[in-house]
Amino acid sequence: MKILGIESSCDETAAAVVEDESRVLSTVVASQLDTHGKYGGVVPELASREHLRAVVPVVRSAVEQAGAALEDLDAIGVTSGPGLVGSLLVGVTYAKALAFVARKPLIGVNHIEGHIHAVVLEARSGGQEIGYPALALVVSGGHTHLFEVSERFEYRLLGKTRDDAAGEAFDKVGKLLGFGYPGGPVIDQLAPYGDPRKVRFSLARMKGNPLDFSFSGLKTAVLRWTEARELDGELAERRALLRRTPRPTRDQWLAVTPQSTLDLLAAFQQTVIEELLRRIERSAGDIDAQTVIVSGGVACNAGLRKAAQAARLPYPVLFPTPGLSTDNAAMIAAAAFRKFRRGEFDDFALRAQANLTLA
Ligand code: KG4
Ligand code: ZN
């Protein structure tokens, strides 16, 4: 059985064909980084326009690369939310049109459920068992959510961010320090060159639900750190570098980043990692989790992966491969399989829902 997945919730137009819930036959991602990079973040109007341009060729190449034709598909899964409404609309409308023309069942998928299924998909293809209840931490540019996941894929929200998402904090710090957008991958590359002990950040103290997250205090602490220093020279050098090379290499960044700034980046990243790991350990204990799933763009973070391994937690902590951590459509197709089996289909009334929740 083959399902075509379509994803357009933010700044990536993606399509993929997945077979039997375990084999990724194709996965195509058209990134809009070059469009949004110069604005320091995603510009919603530009994103929808880029999706419009990309959706037809991206879907076509995913179907072709899978060695399939539209007739071979058993269903079409599409992200219906949460995300930018104009971006979502492009994917949802195109999926409806395809489903109508090819007479295929249509399945609307929650983007967050998709991120969780990136790990489920890879576990299945690697023959690895996921024990339930599982704890899922979805950490991306838009979300920092902890869920309990039952064997039947029912979700219970255990905690979420009260302000910025973890990825958003990486992006804001990156922007503040002149590293362009998105900040996460650059900070991840540079953090190993800094000494996190040189800058002290305190961990967030949560009133109410201790499993909630807050990253705005950390962001403000970084802002204060920059205000207390004379950074104009290095900022100008980094901005000039970005104008010359839209995506500089690690060594190019290192050449324009003094040790004190590298120390700051290391301390910032370590604090985020500590915040995430603390909540994982606490909530996994609370629900007696048999497996922990970490997914979303921030799950690419090498420091986080290393720290999760070094913590020697008494349950497996599973991360998707980097290509399936950030937004992609294989995860959307994977989540659509589960809905297919349950007979949860959508009709042409399927809407794009910017604030769709999972639990
Ligand atoms: O899942 P994703 O592609 O899109 C959303 O659903 O938001 O996540 C993008 C986010 C961005 O904030 C980006 O900075 C962050 O993931 N990110 C990272 C890394 N790679 C991407 N953050 C930290 N370390 C990374 N290596
Ligand atoms: Zn995402």
Side-chain angles (χ1 to χ4, degrees), residues 165-247:
E168 199 178 351
F170 271 98
D171 294 338
K172 286 179 175 169
V173 167
K175 186 176 177 187
L176 186 66
L177 287 161
F179 290 103
Y181 171 84
V186 184
I187 295 175
D188 189 14
Q189 281 187 345
L190 300 185
Y193 295 87
D195 180 352
R197 292 165 306 186
K198 292 277 167 68
V199 187
R200 284 239 165 270
F201 290 124
S202 44
L203 296 176
R205 263 195 223 103
M206 304 309 299
K207 288 207 186 102
N209 183 0
L211 296 178
D212 277 350
F213 299 85
S214 168
F215 293 103
S216 70
L218 178 58
K219 182 189 64 190
T220 308
V222 173
L223 177 65
R224 297 282 169 268
W225 184 93
T226 61
E227 285 169 350
R229 277 161 189 80
E230 183 41 68
L231 299 181
D232 289 354
E234 58 174 291
L235 285 176
E237 280 195 77
R238 286 197 284 275
R239 291 193 177 124
L241 171 62
L242 264 182
R243 277 194 298 275
R244 287 197 304 276
T245 349
R247 262 176 269 165

Side-chain angles (χ1 to χ4, degrees), residues 316-352:
V317 183
L318 308 180
F319 289 83
T321 50
L324 288 194
S325 297
T326 48
D327 287 349
N328 67 88
M331 68 185 199
I332 302 303
F337 271 96
R338 190 191 58 75
K339 298 187 93 176
F340 190 102
R341 274 190 278 108
R342 286 192 186 181
E344 292 174 18
F345 298 108
D346 285 283
D347 57 24
F348 297 124
L350 178 69
R351 287 185 307 128

Side-chain angles (χ1 to χ4, degrees), residues 61-77:
S61 47
V63 175
E64 275 173 17
Q65 284 178 30
L70 273 186
E71 305 81 73
D72 305 328
L73 302 173
D74 294 279
I76 297 172

Side-chain angles (χ1 to χ4, degrees), residues 96-273:
K96 281 190 207 172
L98 265 189
F100 177 73
V101 171
R103 296 169 194 262
K104 300 293 176 187
L106 176 70
I107 301 170
V109 174
N110 183 307
H111 182 80
I112 303 178
E113 185 166 31
H115 274 301
I116 295 171
H117 276 265
V119 173
V120 177
L121 168 69
E122 290 194 309
R124 233 179 235 130
S125 69
Q128 190 168 21
E129 283 284 320
I130 293 189
Y132 297 93
L135 174 75
L137 170 66
V138 180
V139 259
S140 67
H143 315 279
T144 305
H145 284 52
L146 272 172
F147 296 99
E148 177 179 357
V149 185
S150 76
E151 188 148 18
R152 302 187 62 232
F153 286 97
E154 286 147 348
Y155 302 93
R156 186 161 71 93
L157 181 66
L158 302 172
K160 65 176 168 49
T161 183
R162 293 192 190 157
D163 37 62
D164 296 343
E168 199 178 351
F170 271 98
D171 294 338
K172 286 179 175 169
V173 167
K175 186 176 177 187
L176 186 66
L177 287 161
F179 290 103
Y181 171 84
V186 184
I187 295 175
D188 189 14
Q189 281 187 345
L190 300 185
Y193 295 87
D195 180 352
R197 292 165 306 186
K198 292 277 167 68
V199 187
R200 284 239 165 270
F201 290 124
S202 44
L203 296 176
R205 263 195 223 103
M206 304 309 299
K207 288 207 186 102
N209 183 0
L211 296 178
D212 277 350
F213 299 85
S214 168
F215 293 103
S216 70
L218 178 58
K219 182 189 64 190
T220 308
V222 173
L223 177 65
R224 297 282 169 268
W225 184 93
T226 61
E227 285 169 350
R229 277 161 189 80
E230 183 41 68
L231 299 181
D232 289 354
E234 58 174 291
L235 285 176
E237 280 195 77
R238 286 197 284 275
R239 291 193 177 124
L241 171 62
L242 264 182
R243 277 194 298 275
R244 287 197 304 276
T245 349
R247 262 176 269 165
T249 62
R250 183 193 57 193
D251 289 344
Q252 286 174 312
W253 281 127
L254 283 172
V256 290
T257 309
Q259 191 59 48
S260 55
T261 299
L262 293 172
D263 294 341
L264 170 90
L265 295 179
F268 163 76
Q269 175 164 302
Q270 177 161 309
T271 309
V272 175
I273 292 172

Side-chain angles (χ1 to χ4, degrees), residues 284-320:
D286 286 356
I287 65 164
D288 194 18
Q290 302 301 302
T291 314
V292 170
I293 290 171
V294 185
S295 193
V298 181
C300 287
N301 190 272
L304 174 62
R305 288 174 185 241
K306 220 156 111 196
Q309 208 174 19
R312 299 189 170 278
L313 300 170
Y315 30 75
V317 183
L318 308 180
F319 289 83

